[in-house]
Amino acid sequence: MATIFIIEDDISLQKLYDMILSTSGHQVVGLANNGEEGVKLYESFSVKPEIIIMDHRMPIKNGIEATKEILKISNHSKIIFVSADNSVKNLALSIGAIEFIEKPFSMEKFLKIIKNVL
Amino acid sequence: MTEKDNNLELNEERCKIVLKSISIPIYTWQKSDEDLILIDYNIAAEKVTKGRIEEYIGIKATELYKDQPEILKELYNCVNKQVDIYREMEYKFVSTGEKKYLSVKYNFVSPDLVIIHTEDITQRKKAQQELKRSEEELRESQERYRNIFDTVPTSLILVDKEGIIIDINPYHLKHLAMGKTRKEEFIGKNIFTHPTIMNAGLSEKYKKVLEGEPLNLKDQYFPSLTTGSDGYFNIRAVPLFKNEDVIGAIFTHEDITDRKNIEEILKKEKQEKSIILENILEHIVFQSLDHTVIYPNKAACDSVNQKAEQLIGRKCHEIWQGSNEVCENCPVERSFKTKKPEVNEITTIDGRVWFIKGYPIIDEKGNLIGGVEVTSEITEKKHIEDKLKKSEKMYREAYNSSNLYKDLFTHDINNIFQNILSSIELYNLYRKDPEKQFELEEIENLIVQQILRGTMLVSNVQNLSAIENYEPSLFSIEVNEVLKKAINFVRKSFPNKKINIKTESIQNEYFVIANELLQNAFENLLFNAVKHNNNEIIKIDINLSKDVKDDKKIIKIEFIDNGVGISDSMKGEIFQREYKEYLNYKLPSGIGLGLLFTKKVIESFNGEIKVEDRIEGDYTQGSNFIILLPEEK
């Protein structure tokens, strides 16, 4: 089971990801409403999470910008990009995201990918 | 003394008296040894020598004529050979130094005398020399006349008072003689019967010359010439008078065919150029260095409804701009400085747009002598260009809007789908677990919210499309009524949320000019205020008031919430309409399309929307969305 950090501005989805992952035995170590919050919170983690679920379209700082900054802080965490915006897939993977999941996706697919990247 | 001797002496005395009294100067020389001595002279000699001859009595010839050896020679010849000699000569009087022409006669008188008779022929000699010079001049004059007559490149005919040809020059024979080449074929014949003159119909006019009237005809056409081609001549004829009687006349025919042909060509070229200039649509104005109009073409004249003569001499800027000063940025003026063509575009007070080209005019010596202004009206072209630009802008905006709506819709709808899909999967998972009953209720609410969100999304897209494509129909609307409906919608959308909405208004009614989309705009703001709020109790204060902005009465509607707030950096972006800005998306999910719709709706009512912090300087305490709408008058 993995330690997971969720960065997603849609409060409903944030809650649903949390419920899915917790139910599946993973440990959600933090929730952030936008990229800027995500970077600050990540920086504060003494033990970096194994996986980061990263949305793209968020206020203040988007997923691409947040990913770049997080990877500068530490490359310990594997970042899974989760976005409805398929146009940023290649960019996300090129800057260091390990996977890209396009919304909408099934819970099964979501958990399988998390398992694969561990 | 005998009688004979007495008679002889008497005769000598008489002879001397005669000699003395003769009016011709006479000098008597007598041989003495090998010389001759002057021994006598008469009264006439005394006169011509002004009395000084007396001093020379007894002088030897060799002494007197030491500088005139020809006289000495004549004297000796006369006495020694005993012959008479006659000479005409220029003689310088030794006694007076005066020079005269003399006829000198040396008469030998036996046995030893030479009597010299002299006669002053100076006057006669001068007359002879004058006559000779006159004859010379006449001869030279005749030669000159002949030379001129024969070589001048103009036809010359000299006639007598009857018109009979006395002389005719070779030029005439060559060019106007209708094929006759010999002078003799014309001499003695009447000029009025000259075939060229007759063909040209000039006989009557030529007769007038012999009546004393000079003739001066220009550009006379001669239909057929010796060379076989037609020709043009300038004709001058002068009657010759003697004692006021016409004794003849001189006719000259100057061939101007080449000049005439060149003039015709130039005239034709000028006419062709004139036709072009006068028919061209561009205004063409030739002007001097101080912008005085020298030539305006027809189009230039028509542009101010005046004739060319009304424009010539006036300043260009006075005519077309009504100004005493040269126009600012005048291309002609600039071309004077740069010596190159210059252009400019101006709009006249009547709204017409003109494209002006200024050309410097430089003469053969390189001097700037003026300028040509070529002006064309481009008002229609400009309007079409503007329309095209607007059309292009509208198309691009529509294209960008289309892409933007598609992008936002796709993103939001996929998020909604994700919410619903994950909710259903979790619901199915939890419903079998008795410990998850509380979560089941939460998931059910979440699904309902997402369906409402989707409904609003679809509504926003439809309404945006309507705003983009149709001119909105506006009417009077009471704001409180609209607000009530929007508040009810939001309360129904979030039945499990504790929502405290308080409306404050001084008046009961506030009328604005809007339409039914105003309610959708309010719903979007209220929906966002509830959705992006993590507080247990969601507070929304709605304040209505009247205000004045830019001297216009407005209705101010404030939506003050205690939600998550909008950071300063985001405040400038949330109403951003440009598609390219959205590509760098930094708005909360679900807000973009709703706020964009709200902004567009408010703007279609000629209003505006802005966002501030509920508590200034701390955006985390919530937002204040302010809508300003024109009050209905």
Side-chain angles (χ1 to χ4, degrees), chain A residues 9 15 57 59 103 105 107, chain B residues 407 418 425 442 586 589:
Chain A
D9 73 318
K15 183 174 266 184
R57 290 193 181 181
K103 296 174 184 174
F105 53 84
M107 196 167 73
Chain B
D407 188 69
Q418 185 62 57
E425 285 181 326
E442 194 176 2
K586 291 178 184 175
S589 295

Side-chain angles (χ1 to χ4, degrees), chain A residues 9-13 15-17 19-20 23 55 57-60 62 65 84 103-107, chain B residues 407 411 414-415 418-419 421 423 425-426 429-430 439 442 446 450 453 567 570 584-586 588-589:
Chain A
D9 73 318
D10 189 314
I11 306 297
S12 309
L13 277 178
K15 183 174 266 184
L16 286 168
Y17 293 162
M19 291 165 85
I20 290 168
T23 305
D55 186 23
R57 290 193 181 181
M58 294 181 288
I60 307 174
N62 65 29
E65 291 168 337
K103 296 174 184 174
F105 53 84
S106 68
M107 196 167 73
Chain B
D407 188 69
H411 176 267
N414 279 331
N415 264 358
Q418 185 62 57
N419 269 292
L421 182 59
S423 296
E425 285 181 326
L426 266 177
L429 194 67
Y430 285 181
E439 281 85 352
E442 194 176 2
L446 210 151
Q450 293 305 315
R453 186 180 161 192
S567 67
M570 231 174 74
N584 190 23
Y585 196 87
K586 291 178 184 175
S589 295

Side-chain angles (χ1 to χ4, degrees), chain B residues 158-166 210 246-249:
Chain B
L158 181 64
V159 300
D160 67 10
K161 63 181 181 181
E162 304 297 334
I164 303 301
I165 295 171
I166 300 167
L210 292 175
V246 175
I247 58 165

Side-chain angles (χ1 to χ4, degrees), chain B residues 89-107:
Chain B
M89 59 185 292
E90 190 179 21
Y91 178 74
K92 184 181 178 184
F93 284 87
V94 177
S95 54
T96 63
E98 195 177 3
K99 276 187 176 178
K100 284 191 174 181
Y101 279 99
L102 301 174
S103 66
V104 182
K105 205 171 184 179
Y106 300 86
N107 289 113

Side-chain angles (χ1 to χ4, degrees), chain B residues 289 339 361-370:
Chain B
L289 293 174
K339 306 274 179 76
I361 303 298
I362 295 165
D363 69 9
E364 292 168 348
K365 295 175 183 173
N367 298 318
L368 181 69
I369 57 168

Side-chain angles (χ1 to χ4, degrees), chain B residues 374-391:
Chain B
V374 180
T375 308
S376 47
E377 188 183 348
I378 56 167
T379 311
E380 193 63 27
K381 187 181 159 199
K382 270 281 169 192
H383 285 168
I384 291 168
E385 275 180 11
D386 288 345
K387 280 181 184 173
L388 273 173
K389 279 180 186 170
K390 280 181 186 169
S391 174

Side-chain angles (χ1 to χ4, degrees), chain B residues 344-553:
Chain B
N344 191 24
E345 193 177 299
I346 63 159
T347 303
T348 45
I349 47 175
D350 58 5
R352 289 187 290 175
V353 187
W354 305 89
F355 183 68
I356 308 171
K357 287 181 249 180
Y359 298 93
I361 303 298
I362 295 165
D363 69 9
E364 292 168 348
K365 295 175 183 173
N367 298 318
L368 181 69
I369 57 168
V372 169
E373 184 175 307
V374 180
T375 308
S376 47
E377 188 183 348
I378 56 167
T379 311
E380 193 63 27
K381 187 181 159 199
K382 270 281 169 192
H383 285 168
I384 291 168
E385 275 180 11
D386 288 345
K387 280 181 184 173
L388 273 173
K389 279 180 186 170
K390 280 181 186 169
S391 174
E392 187 186 349
K393 191 183 174 194
M394 283 174 65
Y395 170 76
R396 192 161 293 285
E397 281 178 354
Y399 176 79
N400 286 340
S401 294
S402 169
N403 278 337
L404 173 63
Y405 302 156
K406 186 180 73 181
D407 188 69
L408 289 174
F409 180 81
T410 303
H411 176 267
D412 284 5
I413 203 74
N414 279 331
N415 264 358
I416 290 167
F417 287 161
Q418 185 62 57
N419 269 292
I420 292 172
L421 182 59
S422 294
S423 296
I424 291 170
E425 285 181 326
L426 266 177
Y427 188 87
N428 287 332
L429 194 67
Y430 285 181
R431 71 176 178 173
K432 298 166 189 169
D433 187 346
E435 292 180 3
K436 300 286 186 184
Q437 292 309 301
F438 176 75
E439 281 85 352
L440 278 178
E441 192 179 341
E442 194 176 2
I443 291 168
E444 281 174 6
N445 287 335
L446 210 151
I447 291 170
V448 172
Q449 278 177 30
Q450 293 305 315
I451 290 169
L452 280 170
R453 186 180 161 192
T455 306
M456 185 164 279
L457 180 66
V458 171
S459 170
N460 283 338
V461 169
Q462 285 175 333
N463 288 333
L464 271 170
S465 176
I467 292 169
E468 292 285 342
N469 293 312
Y470 305 106
E471 196 71 24
S473 156
L474 303 180
F475 44 84
S476 177
I477 284 186
E478 204 285 305
V479 177
N480 273 311
E481 286 296 317
V482 179
L483 267 175
K484 280 178 191 170
K485 290 178 186 172
I487 291 167
N488 283 338
F489 169 78
V490 173
R491 285 190 195 283
K492 283 181 184 174
S493 301
F494 298 95
N496 298 318
K497 295 253 183 186
K498 292 178 182 175
I499 304 170
N500 185 1
I501 301 177
K502 196 165 67 181
T503 304
E504 276 194 19
S505 61
I506 298 169
Q507 293 178 202
N508 291 329
E509 294 178 324
Y510 292 91
F511 285 95
V512 294
I513 298 296
N515 61 25
E516 67 282 352
L517 292 179
L518 183 62
Q519 185 182 327
N520 297 76
F522 289 169
E523 286 172 1
N524 267 289
L525 291 179
L526 291 169
F527 194 92
N528 282 335
V530 175
K531 186 169 178 285
H532 300 281
N533 196 315
N534 297 325
N535 292 298
E536 191 177 341
I537 298 174
I538 295 165
K539 288 185 178 177
I540 304 171
D541 292 332
I542 304 171
N543 298 334
L544 278 83
S545 59
K546 287 188 174 183
D547 207 341
V548 175
K549 189 180 181 190
D550 300 331
D551 298 327
K552 288 178 183 172
K553 289 181 179 178

Side-chain angles (χ1 to χ4, degrees), chain B residues 564-580:
Chain B
V564 296
I566 297 169
S567 67
D568 289 344
S569 61
M570 231 174 74
K571 283 190 182 77
E573 297 177 6
I574 58 169
F575 296 118
Q576 184 58 258
R577 293 175 59 182
E578 294 296 324
Y579 176 61
K580 60 183 178 183

